[in-house]
Amino acid sequence: LDHVLPAEYVEPLRARMMNKAPTSSPEDVRAVILEDLGGLPEDIFDSFDMVPVASASLAQVHRARWKGASVAVKVQHRRVRNESAVDVAVVCTAIRVASRLFKNFRFEW
């Protein structure tokens, strides 16, 4: 943000964003790991700390040990998958509409 907005705006936003990020419940963390990796944390990792080290709007990070090594495990918040699908559908619709309105508009993915 600091390359777009003045520091007077960025610092309060950064402090607020860093302290107000959502965290997922241990149940959701276990469910996401089961869905994504096919097993529960205690079955995949030597140890897994359910308290996140950090959290942001899309995911949170947990400390774990895997095959004897210390690792960081990024776990997507459960709601993100559904919200992302809606976001992609909205963008695709906007692209289709723009393509019909503006003949020279070409954007596909």
Side-chain angles (χ1 to χ4, degrees):
L1 284 174
D2 53 356
H3 62 282
V4 177
L5 298 173
E8 304 82 54
Y9 295 100
V10 173
E11 291 309 316
L13 283 172
R14 181 175 288 140
R16 186 171 186 178
M17 288 170 30
M18 305 254 308
N19 293 331
K20 301 290 183 187
T23 58
S24 295
S25 69
E27 294 78 21
D28 281 349
V29 170
R30 290 170 54 80
V32 169
I33 291 174
L34 179 60
E35 291 167 10
D36 289 350
L37 301 179
L40 295 171
E42 61 270 18
D43 298 330
I44 296 171
F45 301 97
D46 302 332
S47 65
F48 187 91
D49 188 351
M50 279 295 178
V51 178
V53 175
S55 185
S57 58
L58 300 178
Q60 60 192 41
V61 178
H62 294 264
R63 284 189 177 105
R65 291 197 62 78
W66 182 65
K67 296 185 178 181
S70 292
V71 296
V73 181
K74 185 176 180 180
V75 180
Q76 186 179 53
H77 296 304
R78 201 146 196 223
R79 62 175 170 67
V80 170
R81 187 171 294 157
N82 294 336
E83 290 175 4
S84 296
V86 171
D87 290 346
V88 170
V90 168
V91 169
C92 288
T93 300
I95 290 169
R96 279 195 304 276
V97 169
S99 296
R100 290 189 181 128
L101 293 174
F102 306 101
K103 294 186 190 270
N104 292 331
F105 181 83
R106 297 284 183 256
F107 185 84
E108 295 179 20
W109 55 7

